[in-house]
Amino acid sequence: MDMPRPTQRLARFRPALLETFSDYSRERLIRDLGAGATVGIVALPLAMAFAMASGLKPEAGLFTAIIAGFLISALGGSRVQVGGPAGAFIVIVYGILERYGLANLIIATAMSGVMLFLMGLFRLGTLIRFIPIAVVIGFTNGIAVLIMLSQVKDFLGLEVVNMPADFFGIVHTLRDSLHSLNLAALVIASATLALLIVWQAAMSRLGPTFGFSAKLGRIPGTIAALVLATMVTAVFKLPIETIGSKFGGIPAGLPGFVWPDLNWESARFLLMPAFTLAILGSIESLLCARIADGLTASRHDPNQELMAQGIANFVVPFFGGMPATGTIARTITNIKSGATSPVAGMVHALALLLVVLVAAPLASSVPLAALAAILMFVAWNMGEWREFVHLRQYRLPYRVILLAVFFLTVIVDLTVAVEVGLVAASLTFIYRVSSLSRCEAVSAAEQPLLDGQEGQTAAFRFHGALFFGAVKLVEDLRHRLPQRALVLDFKHVIYIDSSGADTLVDLVHACRKHGARLILCGLDHQPLDIVRRCGLLEHIRGSDCCPDLVSGLRAATTPPEGL
């Protein structure tokens, strides 16, 4: 007889890059080089904008896109996913910076990297899919609102010394600073945003008709808008804030190793922020990978992807970077540009490195108002706003969870929002599953063996799952015990947990005190396994465990063995 193979508990470390070399060709290399260069251009303004919106210097975003982007592509489980800084992290990173400081942000990011790697190693990648879509949409839309709100300062050119991280603090600060409105910044930001909207509409609607896609489609709208805004600001010498005036420009060199000034008094409070970074990064990355699978008809390895994300997030903070994850916009650009393997993502990182080494001085003239407009545009596109319009189509629990997570994300805190959303979704699921579980009495009309047995023998059939949320179905039977035998049919039960098994043990004892037999029928697969491991079968005779209801009813009319 063949012995069953032991279950592999730990995921193997095998990057998708290794699988591409078997049939890699010169044509594929050329396509990957072109796609990587295109994505690098798209990532340039976004990387700087995400870093500055998070309270960091622009080079932090560039270094993250270079280092983390290269590692995620080289070690990840997806062939086409591109990693780097993401808008979803802005609110969390800004909050950590304000509350704990830069040194503890480095520690929190590294801690999240360890968590991500362990999640992948212990094969938890598939569990991320069980997070309810209402929770995901709620906090995604909430983050989008916070990103747009955080960019109002630079969009209007307001003079704000220290912008708070909480919603009411931001609103209060913006209101008190409206007197410092900079019309030049407002004009540049509005023109940049308008150009992005028109560019997107032209590429999606007018392109095939007017031939725009063939000529201009290869130029990212963000780059075109950023170049034009920078040229106008420089030519007309507009009095608005730029990267150079605020940060002194971007260093034209490789990042150096940074060892944080450890403060254990603060670091011990970083577990929850690090966990939030890890959970949010894993959700964002695996959702992005699933979208990429749908566009390329391929399949990613979620556990390998999490391990790669973990390595990237552990390494990048020690080189001046910020948290990183898979990014939907850059991944879709990568796919549409013809990427065929992880080489394209690695090329994207090298292209950004070349920009930093060669063209870093040019970034000093980039106006912050234009970057604010780009971030607002990206935030609007990342939100699932149609879900609010279609809320009436869904049940009340879905609406409550989505809106609760959304408002808690905006007003209170992302961590609290996700926790409340998951708890509410879990309670809703438990209630729904328990309502689907039922216990029905078997009548004599259905089973002739019960004819004339009223008060002597009773039979009940269970449906669904017998778990902690449905044990009341068994507990109610204690008040309906017959004189001779109680027959329970579990043929339609798909799952029994330890609480359900313990309740059945209590029912056995209650039947003995009452002088009645308890006969179990139809136990199979998981239900049979759990009652064995919980010792339930040790409390009843072997003849009182039957394969089906008919044999159980026959056993009920037969005297037990040994009597």
Side-chain angles (χ1 to χ4, degrees), residues 7 45 63 140 172 324 405 433:
T7 304
F63 294 159
T140 301
H172 182 75
V405 173
V433 174

Side-chain angles (χ1 to χ4, degrees), residues 230-280:
T230 303
M231 290 175 60
V232 170
T233 302
V235 170
F236 293 95
K237 298 180 180 180
L238 298 178
I240 61 178
E241 208 168 24
T242 63
I243 290 179
S245 64
K246 184 170 183 178
F247 300 103
I250 297 176
L254 297 174
F257 183 82
V258 178
W259 183 254
D261 183 14
L262 297 177
N263 183 352
W264 295 110
E265 287 299 318
S266 299
R268 61 193 179 96
F269 297 109
L270 295 176
L271 183 61
M272 185 52 67
F275 180 73
T276 304
L277 289 173
I279 290 296
L280 187 58

Side-chain angles (χ1 to χ4, degrees), residues 510-522:
C511 287
R512 285 180 180 174
K513 291 182 180 180
H514 190 72
R517 296 169 60 189
L518 179 63
I519 300 175
L520 307 179
C521 311

